[in-house]
Amino acid sequence: MGHGIKCIGMLTSGGDAPGMNAAIRSVTRAAIFNNIRVKAIYRGYKGLITGEIKEFQTQNVSNIIQQGGTILKSARCAEFRTPEGRQLAYENLVKEEIDALVVIGGDGTFTGARLFSQEYDVPIVGLPGTIDNDLFGTDSTIGYDTALNTIIDAVDKIRDTASSHERLFFIEVMGRDAGFLALNSALASGAEAAIIPERETKVDQLEELIKNGFRKSKNSSIVIVSESEVTGGANGLAERMRREHPEYDVRVSILGHIQRGGSPTAYDRIIASRMGVAAIDALMDGLRNIMIGIVNNEIVHVPLAKAIKDDKPVNEQLLGVVQILSI
Ligand code: ATP
C-alpha cells in the first residue's frame, strides 16, 4: 500500500447534525473497501483522550443512513484544548495503531484537528458537519439542508395560527453568527422578511422593514430572525416592536433544538456519502489537513486553515428577493 495508511480513526465532534451517520457509514465502508481498518472514536475528542475506541466492521454502520444525530455521540471537550490533553490523545492513537483521522464537525473541531496535526504530524481530513452552513469552501455543510426543511415545516404550521389571529410573528432560528438558515428558510417559507447578523451590522433591519411598510397588505406577518446577539434574537426584536409600535400584535417562537434533529434529507445523505468516500480517497492520495467540500457539485479539497478562517458570505441580494416576494 503506497499511502501507508492501514488504519483510520473517525469521530464526530461539536454540535450534532443530521447526516453525520450517513458520513460515518460512508467513511467506514469506503475505508474497508480499500482494505483500511476503521476505529470508531466515541464522544469526539473526549473519547480519543479516554480511549473510548472500537473497531468497526461494515455491519456496524448498517441501517444508520436514515438516522439523525450521531451514533458515535458528540461532546465538547475542554481537555483537548490543552497540550496535555492532546498528548494523551496522541498516546491513544499510537496504542490503537491509528495512522490518520477523519473528523466530522464544525470550525471548532477543525481548529483542534489542525493544532493536533501540527503537533503530532497526524494526517487529518475533515468533513463539514454542522447545520449552520458557516464553513468556507463548501456550498453546503452536512445537516444544513435537513435543518432548513425542518424550519420551513415549523414555519408553515406557525403561519396557520399567525394568519388566523392576524399576528406578527418573530421566529428565531439557529445559525450562530451566520444568516444562511434564516435567509433561506425565509425564502422557502414565504416569510415577509429575514433579519440576519451579516446585514444588521450595516443597517437597522427592523427600522428598514417598518419604513418599507412590510405588513401593508397582509393579515399576518412572519419575520425569521437569526439567533445571534447581533440581531438581538426574536425576543429582543419583539420587545422593541412592542415598545415602538404597540399597534402590532407581536408573538415570538423560538424553534430551538428541533432544528438539529430528524432524519436527514436526500440531499444531506448524498453529500455525506460522497464526502465520506472522498475523505478516504484524499488520505490514500497523501493529502492531509484538508476539509472535503462540494462546490458546484464537484468534490473539492480545502486547507483546514482556510475552511476555518475564511469568511463564507451569505448572498445578501436574496434579502431583496424576500422583500419583492412579500408585497
Ligand atoms: P458546531 O459549530 O456545529 O457547534 P464545532 O466543531 O465548531 O461545531 P466546538 O464546540 O466549537 O464545535 O468544537 C468542538 C471541539 O473541538 C471542542 O469541544 C474542543 O474539544 C475542540 N476544539 C475547539 N477549539 C479548539 C482549539 N482552539 N484547540 C483545541 N481544540 C479545540
Side-chain angles (χ1 to χ4, degrees):
M1 250 183 282
H3 48 77
I5 293 173
K6 297 192 189 74
C7 176
I8 60 147
M10 160 185 75
L11 58 83
T12 51
S13 160
D16 62 306
M20 279 183 164
N21 282 328
I24 291 165
R25 170 180 179 269
S26 173
V27 169
T28 303
R29 297 230 164 129
I32 292 172
F33 179 84
N34 288 290
N35 298 315
I36 296 171
R37 293 166 68 198
V38 181
K39 296 212 172 163
I41 300 158
Y42 286 83
R43 298 183 169 76
Y45 293 124
K46 196 166 168 205
L48 198 52
I49 290 173
T50 58
E52 212 182 330
I53 299 170
K54 172 183 161 179
E55 181 151 4
F56 263 18
Q57 309 299 337
T58 180
Q59 308 84 266
N60 291 100
V61 293
S62 295
N63 209 16
I64 65 167
I65 195 169
Q66 76 281 21
Q67 291 174 22
T70 159
I71 61 162
L72 298 185
K73 315 286 181 200
S74 191
R76 314 263 181 206
C77 174
E79 216 183 338
F80 197 73
R81 293 174 187 268
T82 66
E84 296 77 23
R86 292 193 294 276
Q87 185 176 343
L88 284 173
Y90 182 67
E91 285 166 10
N92 274 324
L93 277 193
V94 174
K95 194 168 114 202
E96 294 283 343
E97 298 179 327
I98 293 172
D99 308 307
L101 280 177
V102 176
V103 299
I104 308 166
D107 57 356
T109 302
F110 294 168
T111 305
R114 197 167 156 250
L115 211 55
F116 189 56
S117 71
Q118 282 165 348
E119 286 171 346
Y120 294 104
D121 198 25
V122 180
I124 304 186
V125 170
L127 298 189
T130 164
I131 64 166
D132 302 334
N133 199 30
D134 57 352
L135 286 166
F136 174 87
T138 189
D139 288 343
S140 187
T141 54
I142 298 166
Y144 170 63
D145 185 64
T146 306
L148 207 49
N149 278 284
T150 303
I151 292 169
I152 64 165
D153 192 41
V155 175
D156 288 349
K157 293 188 167 100
I158 293 170
R159 171 80 71 188
D160 291 343
T161 167
S163 57
S164 302
H165 287 276
E166 305 192 330
R167 282 173 173 156
L168 164 60
F169 261 88
F170 288 107
I171 302 179
E172 183 174 302
V173 301
M174 287 183 171
R176 288 236 205 152
D177 293 319
F180 295 98
L181 281 173
L183 181 53
N184 285 301
S185 65
L187 257 180
S189 64
E192 276 59 45
I195 293 191
I196 61 170
E198 292 87 342
R199 182 149 175 82
E200 190 65 20
T201 54
K202 296 170 207 149
V203 296
D204 183 337
Q205 292 172 100
L206 190 61
E207 199 177 290
E208 202 176 55
L209 286 174
I210 292 161
K211 240 185 359 217
N212 291 340
F214 69 104
R215 207 187 172 217
K216 257 187 229 147
S217 59
K218 296 292 177 75
N219 69 0
S220 73
S221 287
I222 286 183
V223 178
I224 312 282
V225 182
S226 284
E227 67 183 344
S228 143
E229 273 178 29
V230 182
T231 63
N235 276 320
L237 290 165
E239 254 172 55
R240 215 185 116 191
M241 199 69 185
R242 288 187 188 112
R243 218 173 32 241
E244 295 174 17
H245 296 275
E247 67 274 22
Y248 288 107
D249 186 10
V250 178
R251 291 293 186 278
V252 167
S253 182
I254 296 181
L255 296 189
H257 283 84
I258 61 162
Q259 294 166 88
R260 285 197 182 282
S263 180
T265 57
Y267 185 77
D268 274 333
R269 297 181 198 196
I270 290 166
I271 64 169
S273 300
R274 289 181 63 189
M275 286 174 174
V277 170
I280 300 302
D281 284 347
L283 285 171
M284 291 194 305
D285 287 343
L287 296 174
R288 47 170 60 204
N289 306 333
I290 53 151
M291 180 193 85
I292 303 291
I294 295 183
V295 174
N296 293 334
N297 207 26
E298 296 285 341
I299 292 285
V300 294
H301 301 136
V302 189
L304 280 181
K306 253 179 116 54
I308 299 161
K309 289 208 186 100
D310 285 14
D311 267 350
K312 179 175 179 181
V314 287
N315 182 354
E316 288 187 38
Q317 286 177 349
L318 295 181
L319 285 169
V321 177
V322 173
Q323 197 194 335
I324 290 168
L325 300 182
S326 74
I327 55 169

